[in-house]
C-alpha cells in the first residue's frame, strides 16, 4: 500500500477494525477462484501492505509468489512474519477463517507454512510508475496472476490516477492472466493514528469501467455493503468490492 502509515498504528487498526470483518475480507478469495481457472506458476501481490490475509487462499495455486509494497516499513513487517521472528503480527484469526471456508481440513498452521514456503521475495513497488517494479526486477514476468487488496484506491488522488495505476500494474500480467482486485467502495478517507488520509472514492460502475479500459474482461464482480456495526469511525467506507478479471489476449 502507498500510505504513510506507521507499522504499529496500521496493524493495531487492522486488528481492532477488521477481526470482526474477517469474513467479509476473506470469504470472496476462495469464491473468486473456485472455478479452478485462477492458477499458474507466478503470482504478484500488488501493494501488500504489512498484511498476508489476501494470499491465504491463493497460495495453494501458485508456487512462486512475490509480495510488494511502496513502504520499507511494511516490507520489513512482512519479513518478520515470513521469518517467524518475535514481534511479528499474529494472522491466525484470518488463517483459521480461510481454512474454515475452504473446508479441506487444513490447519491454520499448515496454511501459513505453505504461504511462507511459496513467498519467494518481497520487493518495492510504485504503482504510479510505468514500470511499477522498476527495471531488472527479480520477479518472474509476466506473471500468471495479480492480486491487489485495498491498494489502488488508497494511493490514488483521483480517478485518472486510479486508472493509470491499474494500467501500470497490468503490464506485469501475461495476456490471458487473471487479476483479483479487492477494494473499498465510496471511501474518501481513513485514519492512520491521528492522520486523516485521503482515498479516491470509487463505485462499482467505475471499477468495471476502469478494468475494461485497462484491457480486462470482467469475469465476476461482487459488492458487499459494510454493516453498520463494522463502521467504527476510522474511515467512511460504504462497502467492499471483489473483482475477478482476465486480461484479454493481445493486450
Amino acid at each position: 500500500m502507498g500510505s504513510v502509515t506507521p507499522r504499529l498504528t496500521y496493524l493495531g487498526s487492522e486488528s481492532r477494525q477488521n477481526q470482526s470483518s474477517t469474513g467479509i475480507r476473506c470469504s470472496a478469495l476462495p469464491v473468486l477462484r473456485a472455478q479452478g481457472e485462477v492458477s499458474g506458476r507466478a503470482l504478484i501481490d500488488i501493494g501488500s501492505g504489512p498484511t498476508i490475509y489476501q494470499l491465504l487462499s491463493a497460495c495453494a495455486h501458485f508456487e512462486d509468489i512475490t509480495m510488494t509494497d511502496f513502504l520499507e516499513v511494511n516490507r520489513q513487517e512482512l519479513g518478520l512474519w515470513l521469518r517467524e521472528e518475535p514481534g511479528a503480527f499474529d494472522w491466525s484469526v484470518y488463517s483459521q477463517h480461510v481454512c474454515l471456508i475452504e473446508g479441506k481440513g487444513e490447519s491454520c498452521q499448515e496454511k501459513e507454512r505453505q504461504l511462507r514456503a511459496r513467498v519467494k521475495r518481497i520487493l518495492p513497488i510504485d504503482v504510479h510508475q510505468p514500470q511499477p517494479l522498476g527495471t531488472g526486477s527479480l520477479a518472474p514476468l509476466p506473471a500468471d496472476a495479480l492480486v491487489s487488496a485495498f491498494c489502488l484506491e488508497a494511493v490514488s488522488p483521483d480517478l485518472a490516477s486510479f486508472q493509470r495505476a491499474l494500467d501500470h500494474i497490468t503490464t506485469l500480467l501475461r495476456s490471458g492472466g487473471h487479476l483479483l482486485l479487492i477494494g473499498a467502495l465510496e471511501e474518501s478517507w481513513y485514519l492512520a493514528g491521528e492522520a486523516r488520509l485521503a482515498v479516491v472514492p470509487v463505485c462499482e460502475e467505475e471499477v468495471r469501467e476502469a478494468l475494461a479500459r485497462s484491457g480486462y474482461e470482467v469475469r465476476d464482480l461482487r459488492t458487499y455493503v459494510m454493516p453498520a456495526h463494522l463502521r467504527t469511525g476510522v474511515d467512511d467506507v460504504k462497502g467492499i468490492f471483489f473483482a475477478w478479471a482476465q486480461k484479454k489476449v493481445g493486450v
Side-chain angles (χ1 to χ4, degrees):
M1 299 175 73
S3 68
V4 289
T5 312
R7 167 189 171 244
L8 294 178
T9 300
Y10 184 95
L11 288 173
S13 175
E14 187 76 23
S15 175
R16 289 192 302 273
Q17 181 189 5
N18 296 322
Q19 279 185 352
S20 56
S21 62
T22 301
I24 293 177
R25 290 199 169 209
C26 293
S27 61
L29 300 181
V31 169
L32 285 172
R33 63 112 190 84
Q35 293 84 347
E37 295 185 51
V38 184
S39 62
R41 178 177 178 273
L43 170 71
I44 301 176
D45 181 23
I46 304 293
S48 306
T51 69
I52 58 94
Y53 67 85
Q54 65 275 13
L55 295 173
L56 287 168
S57 183
C59 70
H61 303 273
F62 297 88
E63 61 188 54
D64 186 306
I65 296 175
T66 301
M67 301 188 77
T68 69
D69 201 73
F70 181 78
L71 292 179
E72 182 179 359
V73 67
N74 287 341
R75 300 194 300 271
Q76 290 174 344
E77 179 63 32
L78 293 173
L80 289 178
W81 184 84
L82 287 172
R83 297 186 298 270
E84 301 184 72
E85 294 187 6
F89 193 74
D90 180 7
W91 292 101
S92 59
V93 170
Y94 292 79
S95 305
Q96 290 167 2
H97 193 85
V98 169
C99 290
L100 180 64
I101 294 169
E102 292 181 337
K104 299 176 183 176
E106 190 177 21
S107 71
C108 67
Q109 292 85 1
E110 290 171 323
K111 174 66 72 177
E112 293 188 5
R113 189 157 47 245
Q114 182 182 53
L115 178 55
R116 286 188 172 98
R118 296 195 169 188
V119 173
K120 305 302 184 184
R121 63 198 67 81
I122 304 169
L123 301 178
I125 191 170
D126 186 345
V127 299
H128 296 304
Q129 296 300 317
Q131 293 181 298
L133 294 175
T135 58
S137 170
L138 297 176
L141 297 174
D144 297 302
L146 305 178
V147 169
S148 187
F150 302 97
C151 173
L152 300 189
E153 75 279 7
V155 301
S156 299
D158 50 43
L159 277 174
S161 297
F162 178 88
Q163 181 71 66
R164 286 193 297 271
L166 181 58
D167 290 345
H168 294 160
I169 69 169
T170 299
T171 65
L172 306 175
L173 182 64
R174 67 169 175 83
S175 291
H178 297 269
L179 167 66
L180 300 182
L181 184 66
I182 307 164
L185 287 172
E186 300 181 45
E187 180 184 32
S188 64
W189 60 269
Y190 70 94
L191 296 179
E194 297 181 358
R196 181 172 168 136
L197 303 178
V199 179
V200 58
V202 296
C203 66
E204 178 182 351
E205 189 56 35
E206 287 166 335
V207 173
R208 285 186 183 275
E209 291 176 358
L211 288 166
R213 290 193 188 104
S214 291
Y216 289 95
E217 175 190 354
V218 177
R219 301 289 301 275
D220 194 2
L221 199 160
R222 308 181 187 192
T223 61
Y224 296 80
V225 175
M226 185 65 72
H229 71 278
L230 294 182
R231 298 180 185 180
T232 59
V234 299
D235 56 38
D236 64 345
V237 64
K238 303 300 188 300
I240 294 174
F241 68 85
F242 300 86
W244 167 28
Q246 187 170 17
K247 186 175 179 179
K248 294 178 180 178
V249 175
V251 173

